[in-house]
Amino acid sequence: MGKIIALANQKGGVGKTTTAINLSASLAALDKKVLLVDADPQANASSGLSIDISNLNSTIYECMINGVDPAEALVPTEVPNLDLLPSHINLVGAEIEMLQLENREKVLKKVLAEVKDKYDFILIDCSPSLGLITINALTASDSVIIPVQCEFFALEGIAKLLNTIKIVKSKLNPNLDIEGFLLTMFDARLRLSNSVHEDVRKQFGDLVFKTVVQRNVKLSEAPSYGQPVILYDSESTGSTNHLKLAQELIEKNEKRS
């Protein structure tokens, strides 16, 4: 049965979608069967994997609002072992439409229950907000990865996210854990990067992944070519970082089981 992990941070520009795409692809490269769920109306995880959402009959929106079987909406990617449940701009309106639904916080959980057994890992790329879709993602998940960029105001908003996780845990999903804080956009040459790195490790200790994602040109370029960095440039620092992160995640979960 697959482990469901949400990637969440209501602060934009922290490397959340980049991590979602590249961690998914790296887990797949390490022979894990992976599903990436694009739960962001901007659909950047979908376009970052060369999926043309304008030509799709079904997306996560149809699954959540119209009850479409998620198996009909899944799209294979260029990466072997990696499937995508794509997003669509229509997802913006889903939060309003879901207000009428019973158990509206558990719609995504019900959708993913249909396909959970087919995968080792299911990663959910959340939108940069703490709205109803993100609450759905947290309610459906076993754990959360929180990307934190090594820049000014890095910890801004983290307290709010941790409070939301606490509320979801107490009212909707008692099994929700923090998988880890992931330091992104790290540049060892900058005093600020090192300072944030130190602060986050001091504050969250063992909850911080040992692997750090460094600032890397190839990693930034890859989405514009619709590829994860492991396909765009397998020798790059970005590719190496995410493979190392995937290995760390696998080992962490093998120890627990």
Side-chain angles (χ1 to χ4, degrees):
M1 187 177 281
K3 178 162 191 178
I4 304 179
I5 304 174
L7 285 99
N9 191 329
Q10 79 274 21
K11 193 173 186 296
V14 298
K16 182 174 49 55
T17 300
T18 299
T19 303
I21 292 171
N22 291 294
L23 177 55
S24 297
S26 297
L27 286 165
L30 293 170
D31 293 328
K32 297 296 177 185
K33 191 88 177 92
V34 186
L35 173 63
L36 175 57
V37 178
D38 190 350
D40 184 348
Q42 294 176 83
N44 290 336
S46 301
S47 60
L49 287 168
S50 287
I51 305 302
D52 181 3
I53 58 172
S54 61
N55 287 328
L56 300 173
N57 294 321
S58 300
T59 66
I60 189 173
Y61 172 82
E62 283 75 21
C63 296
M64 292 182 75
I65 302 301
N66 302 332
V68 168
D69 184 338
E72 291 178 29
L74 297 183
V75 181
T77 69
E78 276 187 74
V79 182
N81 295 324
L82 176 59
D83 293 337
L84 174 77
L85 180 55
S87 185
H88 194 277
I89 190 67
N90 288 350
L91 200 59
V92 168
E95 299 206 352
I96 296 164
E97 294 173 69
M98 285 164 67
L99 290 175
Q100 318 303 323
L101 300 178
E102 198 180 335
N103 285 330
R104 58 181 179 261
E105 299 90 356
K106 297 183 178 179
V107 177
L108 184 57
K109 182 174 185 173
K110 192 177 171 189
V111 169
L112 295 183
E114 301 286 320
V115 293
K116 190 173 180 179
D117 291 348
K118 297 176 185 174
Y119 297 96
D120 297 308
F121 289 96
I122 297 176
L123 269 58
I124 308 175
D125 182 32
C126 299
S127 63
S129 76
L130 293 177
L132 188 52
I133 302 289
T134 298
I135 298 298
N136 261 263
L138 295 174
T139 303
S141 296
D142 299 303
S143 64
V144 195
I145 290 175
I146 302 169
V148 180
Q149 87 281 35
C150 293
E151 293 180 357
F152 204 57
F153 297 134
L155 297 174
E156 194 181 59
I158 292 285
K160 195 174 178 185
L161 175 60
L162 292 177
N163 191 47
T164 301
I165 291 169
K166 191 177 172 185
I167 292 166
V168 169
K169 197 175 167 77
S170 67
K171 298 187 183 300
L172 297 163
N173 182 6
N175 299 318
L176 184 64
D177 289 321
I178 293 176
E179 190 71 41
F181 291 84
L182 175 67
L183 290 155
T184 63
M185 305 179 196
F186 179 72
D187 187 338
R189 298 166 301 178
L190 301 179
R191 187 183 298 167
L192 179 60
S193 266
N194 288 294
S195 171
V196 171
H197 181 282
E198 204 175 294
D199 288 350
V200 173
R201 291 210 183 273
K202 195 180 289 180
Q203 193 163 337
F204 300 110
D206 290 343
L207 279 176
V208 185
F209 282 101
K210 292 184 179 73
T211 307
V212 172
V213 177
Q214 293 160 271
R215 193 175 281 284
N216 178 242
V217 174
K218 299 293 183 184
L219 189 58
S220 304
E221 287 175 355
S224 62
Y225 291 87
Q227 291 185 320
V229 72
I230 198 167
L231 291 185
Y232 179 64
D233 187 343
S234 61
E235 302 295 312
S236 68
T237 302
S239 180
T240 306
N241 288 166
H242 284 94
L243 276 168
K244 198 173 166 192
L245 175 63
Q247 191 65 58
E248 186 178 347
L249 182 65
I250 291 166
E251 285 171 6
K252 204 179 201 183
N253 283 282
E254 281 173 354
K255 277 179 192 169
R256 286 180 189 150
S257 57

